[in-house]
Amino acid sequence: MLGQTAVAERLLEAGPDDYRQHLSKLQPGDTLRLGPGIYRKGLPLRGTAGEAGQPVVIEGPTEGPPAVFEGRDRGITVSLIDVAHVTLRNLYLEGNGVRGHAIVAEGRGRFAHDVTLENLTITGFDAAQGFNGIATRVPAWNWVIRDNHIQGVGTGMYLGNPDGSAPFVNGLIEGNRIEDTLGYNLQIKHQASRPVLEGMPQGSSVTVIRNNVFSKLTGGGEGERARPNVLVGHFPLEGAGAEDHYLIERNLFFQNPTERLLQGEGRVALYDNQFVNWLGAGVIFMAHNDVPRVVDVIHNSILTQGPALTVTGMPEGLSPQVAGNVLLSANPQPEWDDDLNVVGELAEAEAMFVAPLAGLEALDLSPREGRLQMPDTLEIESRWPRSGPLRFTFRHQPASE
């Protein structure tokens, strides 16, 4: 037993010249620590599998010069095929403008699950909009994508296949900063019927998108190539996964001169986010591959030149739940102007918030003293199977003059 434990917790060290000889031998609990330097031969993982509580970890230095993986023309820098319980962290992926991708769970495989991508820097994969920072092309579940910086790529994250055949299930996307992408900062594709694979969630689950920065201030495509910062597609319409939903909370969506900041359909809970677009519109729920079905828009601040919030295409008898929001736009929207939300002119933003006109680093949407209050007066219906508090008892309210 002691010998087995020792083997399961090996620490291996390697550099640019010898790291690939370790890849096919990695076992549950192994950590492959890569030294600083330039890695030009990619990181192909084929059947690499840890176990619950004992992932295979591949990591670069936590400080000092990084381990830099250079992109290759028409190639994939980090290729994942049939991997499980794998963690990649503290790596720098530099595309240098090549026509290639950074990280892809390839369609040649059957699955990729329990993958953690953490504290990665991904940049320079921007030869065209179709080249991705992170992409999944197979059924993927229990992914954690956390604290990464993605800048200057074609599409920041592209999770799923265009035909809905590669569902991204029960994911956690948090603490990332994605900016200056040609296309989406993040797109999660719609899902067709869910396959039955060992370990894949079949009951109700939630994909959480929280505490991220999504910015398209510069570099985005125009015309037919214009894309929102974030787009989330629907879950399966029946069967396994039909009760899944997105929880999108505490994110900052910043600027998009050619498209909206967020587009969604299906089942979405949108809580406590900040949306700032002095160049265009804000949030839209609309038919894309299906229609919006259950939509909560609760306690968000949306400050935009175009329409702040649009909900269209919901089936007859269904309506969104919209409450506790501040919705400021150049042309205020009367449909939200009730005692549940604050609706006003974009020009009022400076009087309401501390620094709503600042750049990304200095932006501050804290309410000015006496301008916005949130008394405990509003009961919000709970409509989501999730842990933690289910009821919201607040609203924004203009202070009396």
Side-chain angles (χ1 to χ4, degrees), residues 336-360:
W336 312 123
D337 192 2
D338 51 29
D339 60 0
L340 302 181
N341 302 283
V342 173
V343 176
E345 297 274 358
L346 187 58
E348 299 177 64
E350 284 190 278
M352 290 186 180
F353 299 99
V354 172
L357 299 181
L360 184 56

PDB file of all heavy atoms in Angstrom, residues 336-360:
ATOM      1  N   TRP A 336     -39.947  48.035 -19.477  1.00  0.00           N
ATOM      2  CA  TRP A 336     -39.366  47.681 -18.179  1.00  0.00           C
ATOM      3  C   TRP A 336     -39.562  48.783 -17.138  1.00  0.00           C
ATOM      4  O   TRP A 336     -39.067  48.656 -16.020  1.00  0.00           O
ATOM      5  CB  TRP A 336     -37.871  47.384 -18.327  1.00  0.00           C
ATOM      6  CG  TRP A 336     -37.525  46.466 -19.449  1.00  0.00           C
ATOM      7  CD1 TRP A 336     -36.674  46.723 -20.481  1.00  0.00           C
ATOM      8  CD2 TRP A 336     -38.014  45.136 -19.668  1.00  0.00           C
ATOM      9  NE1 TRP A 336     -36.598  45.654 -21.335  1.00  0.00           N
ATOM     10  CE2 TRP A 336     -37.416  44.655 -20.867  1.00  0.00           C
ATOM     11  CE3 TRP A 336     -38.899  44.303 -18.988  1.00  0.00           C
ATOM     12  CZ2 TRP A 336     -37.676  43.388 -21.376  1.00  0.00           C
ATOM     13  CZ3 TRP A 336     -39.164  43.040 -19.501  1.00  0.00           C
ATOM     14  CH2 TRP A 336     -38.555  42.589 -20.670  1.00  0.00           C
ATOM     15  N   ASP A 337     -40.268  49.833 -17.512  1.00  0.00           N
ATOM     16  CA  ASP A 337     -40.401  50.994 -16.627  1.00  0.00           C
ATOM     17  C   ASP A 337     -41.563  50.762 -15.656  1.00  0.00           C
ATOM     18  O   ASP A 337     -42.684  51.221 -15.859  1.00  0.00           O
ATOM     19  CB  ASP A 337     -40.628  52.259 -17.447  1.00  0.00           C
ATOM     20  CG  ASP A 337     -40.474  53.518 -16.607  1.00  0.00           C
ATOM     21  OD1 ASP A 337     -40.149  53.382 -15.409  1.00  0.00           O
ATOM     22  OD2 ASP A 337     -40.664  54.615 -17.151  1.00  0.00           O
ATOM     23  N   ASP A 338     -41.281  50.004 -14.615  1.00  0.00           N
ATOM     24  CA  ASP A 338     -42.278  49.721 -13.582  1.00  0.00           C
ATOM     25  C   ASP A 338     -41.599  49.899 -12.236  1.00  0.00           C
ATOM     26  O   ASP A 338     -40.455  50.349 -12.151  1.00  0.00           O
ATOM     27  CB  ASP A 338     -42.851  48.318 -13.746  1.00  0.00           C
ATOM     28  CG  ASP A 338     -41.758  47.249 -13.866  1.00  0.00           C
ATOM     29  OD1 ASP A 338     -40.659  47.465 -13.293  1.00  0.00           O
ATOM     30  OD2 ASP A 338     -41.977  46.214 -14.504  1.00  0.00           O
ATOM     31  N   ASP A 339     -42.271  49.552 -11.160  1.00  0.00           N
ATOM     32  CA  ASP A 339     -41.658  49.735  -9.853  1.00  0.00           C
ATOM     33  C   ASP A 339     -40.740  48.590  -9.466  1.00  0.00           C
ATOM     34  O   ASP A 339     -40.286  48.502  -8.324  1.00  0.00           O
ATOM     35  CB  ASP A 339     -42.728  49.936  -8.775  1.00  0.00           C
ATOM     36  CG  ASP A 339     -43.676  48.748  -8.667  1.00  0.00           C
ATOM     37  OD1 ASP A 339     -43.502  47.780  -9.436  1.00  0.00           O
ATOM     38  OD2 ASP A 339     -44.578  48.804  -7.824  1.00  0.00           O
ATOM     39  N   LEU A 340     -40.424  47.725 -10.434  1.00  0.00           N
ATOM     40  CA  LEU A 340     -39.486  46.642 -10.185  1.00  0.00           C
ATOM     41  C   LEU A 340     -38.076  46.956 -10.669  1.00  0.00           C
ATOM     42  O   LEU A 340     -37.123  46.269 -10.292  1.00  0.00           O
ATOM     43  CB  LEU A 340     -39.971  45.354 -10.869  1.00  0.00           C
ATOM     44  CG  LEU A 340     -41.351  44.834 -10.471  1.00  0.00           C
ATOM     45  CD1 LEU A 340     -41.645  43.545 -11.220  1.00  0.00           C
ATOM     46  CD2 LEU A 340     -41.457  44.637  -8.977  1.00  0.00           C
ATOM     47  N   ASN A 341     -37.915  47.930 -11.548  1.00  0.00           N
ATOM     48  CA  ASN A 341     -36.627  48.272 -12.137  1.00  0.00           C
ATOM     49  C   ASN A 341     -36.468  49.785 -12.185  1.00  0.00           C
ATOM     50  O   ASN A 341     -37.447  50.534 -12.120  1.00  0.00           O
ATOM     51  CB  ASN A 341     -36.522  47.718 -13.572  1.00  0.00           C
ATOM     52  CG  ASN A 341     -36.699  46.215 -13.636  1.00  0.00           C
ATOM     53  OD1 ASN A 341     -35.800  45.467 -13.310  1.00  0.00           O
ATOM     54  ND2 ASN A 341     -37.885  45.783 -14.052  1.00  0.00           N
ATOM     55  N   VAL A 342     -35.218  50.227 -12.331  1.00  0.00           N
ATOM     56  CA  VAL A 342     -34.924  51.632 -12.600  1.00  0.00           C
ATOM     57  C   VAL A 342     -34.618  51.764 -14.082  1.00  0.00           C
ATOM     58  O   VAL A 342     -33.676  51.149 -14.587  1.00  0.00           O
ATOM     59  CB  VAL A 342     -33.723  52.123 -11.768  1.00  0.00           C
ATOM     60  CG1 VAL A 342     -33.322  53.532 -12.180  1.00  0.00           C
ATOM     61  CG2 VAL A 342     -34.047  52.084 -10.288  1.00  0.00           C
ATOM     62  N   VAL A 343     -35.415  52.522 -14.791  1.00  0.00           N
ATOM     63  CA  VAL A 343     -35.245  52.732 -16.227  1.00  0.00           C
ATOM     64  C   VAL A 343     -34.996  54.215 -16.448  1.00  0.00           C
ATOM     65  O   VAL A 343     -35.742  55.062 -15.943  1.00  0.00           O
ATOM     66  CB  VAL A 343     -36.484  52.270 -17.009  1.00  0.00           C
ATOM     67  CG1 VAL A 343     -36.341  52.594 -18.495  1.00  0.00           C
ATOM     68  CG2 VAL A 343     -36.703  50.775 -16.808  1.00  0.00           C
ATOM     69  N   GLY A 344     -33.948  54.546 -17.203  1.00  0.00           N
ATOM     70  CA  GLY A 344     -33.646  55.951 -17.399  1.00  0.00           C
ATOM     71  C   GLY A 344     -32.764  56.204 -18.591  1.00  0.00           C
ATOM     72  O   GLY A 344     -32.439  55.302 -19.376  1.00  0.00           O
ATOM     73  N   GLU A 345     -32.378  57.465 -18.722  1.00  0.00           N
ATOM     74  CA  GLU A 345     -31.520  57.910 -19.805  1.00  0.00           C
ATOM     75  C   GLU A 345     -30.071  57.546 -19.516  1.00  0.00           C
ATOM     76  O   GLU A 345     -29.612  57.585 -18.367  1.00  0.00           O
ATOM     77  CB  GLU A 345     -31.628  59.430 -19.970  1.00  0.00           C
ATOM     78  CG  GLU A 345     -33.005  59.922 -20.367  1.00  0.00           C
ATOM     79  CD  GLU A 345     -33.212  59.903 -21.873  1.00  0.00           C
ATOM     80  OE1 GLU A 345     -32.248  59.545 -22.589  1.00  0.00           O
ATOM     81  OE2 GLU A 345     -34.317  60.238 -22.311  1.00  0.00           O
ATOM     82  N   LEU A 346     -29.352  57.229 -20.559  1.00  0.00           N
ATOM     83  CA  LEU A 346     -27.931  56.941 -20.421  1.00  0.00           C
ATOM     84  C   LEU A 346     -27.196  58.115 -19.795  1.00  0.00           C
ATOM     85  O   LEU A 346     -26.239  57.938 -19.027  1.00  0.00           O
ATOM     86  CB  LEU A 346     -27.347  56.607 -21.793  1.00  0.00           C
ATOM     87  CG  LEU A 346     -25.905  56.122 -21.853  1.00  0.00           C
ATOM     88  CD1 LEU A 346     -25.709  54.870 -21.014  1.00  0.00           C
ATOM     89  CD2 LEU A 346     -25.490  55.864 -23.292  1.00  0.00           C
ATOM     90  N   ALA A 347     -27.631  59.316 -20.087  1.00  0.00           N
ATOM     91  CA  ALA A 347     -26.975  60.504 -19.552  1.00  0.00           C
ATOM     92  C   ALA A 347     -27.050  60.596 -18.033  1.00  0.00           C
ATOM     93  O   ALA A 347     -26.299  61.354 -17.415  1.00  0.00           O
ATOM     94  CB  ALA A 347     -27.600  61.759 -20.174  1.00  0.00           C
ATOM     95  N   GLU A 348     -27.934  59.819 -17.411  1.00  0.00           N
ATOM     96  CA  GLU A 348     -28.058  59.826 -15.961  1.00  0.00           C
ATOM     97  C   GLU A 348     -26.992  58.981 -15.270  1.00  0.00           C
ATOM     98  O   GLU A 348     -26.877  59.002 -14.036  1.00  0.00           O
ATOM     99  CB  GLU A 348     -29.432  59.307 -15.556  1.00  0.00           C
ATOM    100  CG  GLU A 348     -30.610  60.113 -16.069  1.00  0.00           C
ATOM    101  CD  GLU A 348     -31.927  59.466 -15.679  1.00  0.00           C
ATOM    102  OE1 GLU A 348     -32.200  59.377 -14.458  1.00  0.00           O
ATOM    103  OE2 GLU A 348     -32.669  59.033 -16.585  1.00  0.00           O
ATOM    104  N   ALA A 349     -26.220  58.236 -16.023  1.00  0.00           N
ATOM    105  CA  ALA A 349     -25.298  57.273 -15.431  1.00  0.00           C
ATOM    106  C   ALA A 349     -24.285  57.933 -14.496  1.00  0.00           C
ATOM    107  O   ALA A 349     -24.001  57.421 -13.407  1.00  0.00           O
ATOM    108  CB  ALA A 349     -24.575  56.497 -16.525  1.00  0.00           C
ATOM    109  N   GLU A 350     -23.746  59.079 -14.900  1.00  0.00           N
ATOM    110  CA  GLU A 350     -22.729  59.723 -14.065  1.00  0.00           C
ATOM    111  C   GLU A 350     -23.291  60.173 -12.735  1.00  0.00           C
ATOM    112  O   GLU A 350     -22.573  60.207 -11.722  1.00  0.00           O
ATOM    113  CB  GLU A 350     -22.112  60.896 -14.815  1.00  0.00           C
ATOM    114  CG  GLU A 350     -21.122  60.484 -15.894  1.00  0.00           C
ATOM    115  CD  GLU A 350     -20.366  61.671 -16.446  1.00  0.00           C
ATOM    116  OE1 GLU A 350     -20.905  62.382 -17.321  1.00  0.00           O
ATOM    117  OE2 GLU A 350     -19.231  61.898 -15.978  1.00  0.00           O
ATOM    118  N   ALA A 351     -24.559  60.551 -12.710  1.00  0.00           N
ATOM    119  CA  ALA A 351     -25.166  60.960 -11.451  1.00  0.00           C
ATOM    120  C   ALA A 351     -25.483  59.768 -10.556  1.00  0.00           C
ATOM    121  O   ALA A 351     -25.544  59.902  -9.330  1.00  0.00           O
ATOM    122  CB  ALA A 351     -26.439  61.767 -11.725  1.00  0.00           C
ATOM    123  N   MET A 352     -25.658  58.583 -11.137  1.00  0.00           N
ATOM    124  CA  MET A 352     -26.035  57.404 -10.362  1.00  0.00           C
ATOM    125  C   MET A 352     -24.845  56.604  -9.865  1.00  0.00           C
ATOM    126  O   MET A 352     -24.873  56.047  -8.762  1.00  0.00           O
ATOM    127  CB  MET A 352     -26.918  56.491 -11.214  1.00  0.00           C
ATOM    128  CG  MET A 352     -28.297  57.030 -11.494  1.00  0.00           C
ATOM    129  SD  MET A 352     -29.277  55.760 -12.362  1.00  0.00           S
ATOM    130  CE  MET A 352     -30.836  56.627 -12.566  1.00  0.00           C
ATOM    131  N   PHE A 353     -23.781  56.516 -10.692  1.00  0.00           N
ATOM    132  CA  PHE A 353     -22.666  55.627 -10.396  1.00  0.00           C
ATOM    133  C   PHE A 353     -21.369  56.415 -10.234  1.00  0.00           C
ATOM    134  O   PHE A 353     -21.216  57.524 -10.747  1.00  0.00           O
ATOM    135  CB  PHE A 353     -22.502  54.587 -11.499  1.00  0.00           C
ATOM    136  CG  PHE A 353     -23.701  53.695 -11.679  1.00  0.00           C
ATOM    137  CD1 PHE A 353     -24.626  53.936 -12.681  1.00  0.00           C
ATOM    138  CD2 PHE A 353     -23.915  52.622 -10.830  1.00  0.00           C
ATOM    139  CE1 PHE A 353     -25.731  53.117 -12.854  1.00  0.00           C
ATOM    140  CE2 PHE A 353     -25.011  51.793 -10.992  1.00  0.00           C
ATOM    141  CZ  PHE A 353     -25.925  52.041 -11.994  1.00  0.00           C
ATOM    142  N   VAL A 354     -20.397  55.805  -9.570  1.00  0.00           N
ATOM    143  CA  VAL A 354     -19.154  56.496  -9.233  1.00  0.00           C
ATOM    144  C   VAL A 354     -18.325  56.814 -10.467  1.00  0.00           C
ATOM    145  O   VAL A 354     -17.887  57.956 -10.668  1.00  0.00           O
ATOM    146  CB  VAL A 354     -18.340  55.652  -8.235  1.00  0.00           C
ATOM    147  CG1 VAL A 354     -16.945  56.261  -8.023  1.00  0.00           C
ATOM    148  CG2 VAL A 354     -19.076  55.550  -6.908  1.00  0.00           C
ATOM    149  N   ALA A 355     -18.067  55.854 -11.326  1.00  0.00           N
ATOM    150  CA  ALA A 355     -17.209  56.085 -12.510  1.00  0.00           C
ATOM    151  C   ALA A 355     -17.684  55.234 -13.675  1.00  0.00           C
ATOM    152  O   ALA A 355     -16.987  54.315 -14.128  1.00  0.00           O
ATOM    153  CB  ALA A 355     -15.751  55.779 -12.181  1.00  0.00           C
ATOM    154  N   PRO A 356     -18.869  55.521 -14.223  1.00  0.00           N
ATOM    155  CA  PRO A 356     -19.410  54.685 -15.299  1.00  0.00           C
ATOM    156  C   PRO A 356     -18.795  54.968 -16.661  1.00  0.00           C
ATOM    157  O   PRO A 356     -19.000  54.184 -17.589  1.00  0.00           O
ATOM    158  CB  PRO A 356     -20.892  55.046 -15.296  1.00  0.00           C
ATOM    159  CG  PRO A 356     -20.917  56.467 -14.839  1.00  0.00           C
ATOM    160  CD  PRO A 356     -19.823  56.574 -13.822  1.00  0.00           C
ATOM    161  N   LEU A 357     -18.058  56.074 -16.809  1.00  0.00           N
ATOM    162  CA  LEU A 357     -17.459  56.430 -18.096  1.00  0.00           C
ATOM    163  C   LEU A 357     -15.987  56.054 -18.184  1.00  0.00           C
ATOM    164  O   LEU A 357     -15.345  56.318 -19.185  1.00  0.00           O
ATOM    165  CB  LEU A 357     -17.603  57.940 -18.335  1.00  0.00           C
ATOM    166  CG  LEU A 357     -19.025  58.493 -18.404  1.00  0.00           C
ATOM    167  CD1 LEU A 357     -18.986  59.993 -18.660  1.00  0.00           C
ATOM    168  CD2 LEU A 357     -19.838  57.793 -19.471  1.00  0.00           C
ATOM    169  N   ALA A 358     -15.469  55.449 -17.132  1.00  0.00           N
ATOM    170  CA  ALA A 358     -14.044  55.129 -17.104  1.00  0.00           C
ATOM    171  C   ALA A 358     -13.727  53.943 -17.996  1.00  0.00           C
ATOM    172  O   ALA A 358     -14.607  53.210 -18.452  1.00  0.00           O
ATOM    173  CB  ALA A 358     -13.619  54.835 -15.667  1.00  0.00           C
ATOM    174  N   GLY A 359     -12.438  53.763 -18.237  1.00  0.00           N
ATOM    175  CA  GLY A 359     -11.983  52.584 -18.963  1.00  0.00           C
ATOM    176  C   GLY A 359     -12.125  51.332 -18.129  1.00  0.00           C
ATOM    177  O   GLY A 359     -12.581  51.360 -16.976  1.00  0.00           O
ATOM    178  N   LEU A 360     -11.692  50.239 -18.697  1.00  0.00           N
ATOM    179  CA  LEU A 360     -11.919  48.939 -18.072  1.00  0.00           C
ATOM    180  C   LEU A 360     -11.301  48.848 -16.686  1.00  0.00           C
ATOM    181  O   LEU A 360     -11.908  48.289 -15.760  1.00  0.00           O
ATOM    182  CB  LEU A 360     -11.360  47.835 -18.990  1.00  0.00           C
ATOM    183  CG  LEU A 360     -11.594  46.389 -18.559  1.00  0.00           C
ATOM    184  CD1 LEU A 360     -13.066  46.110 -18.356  1.00  0.00           C
ATOM    185  CD2 LEU A 360     -11.013  45.440 -19.607  1.00  0.00           C
TER     186      LEU A 360
END
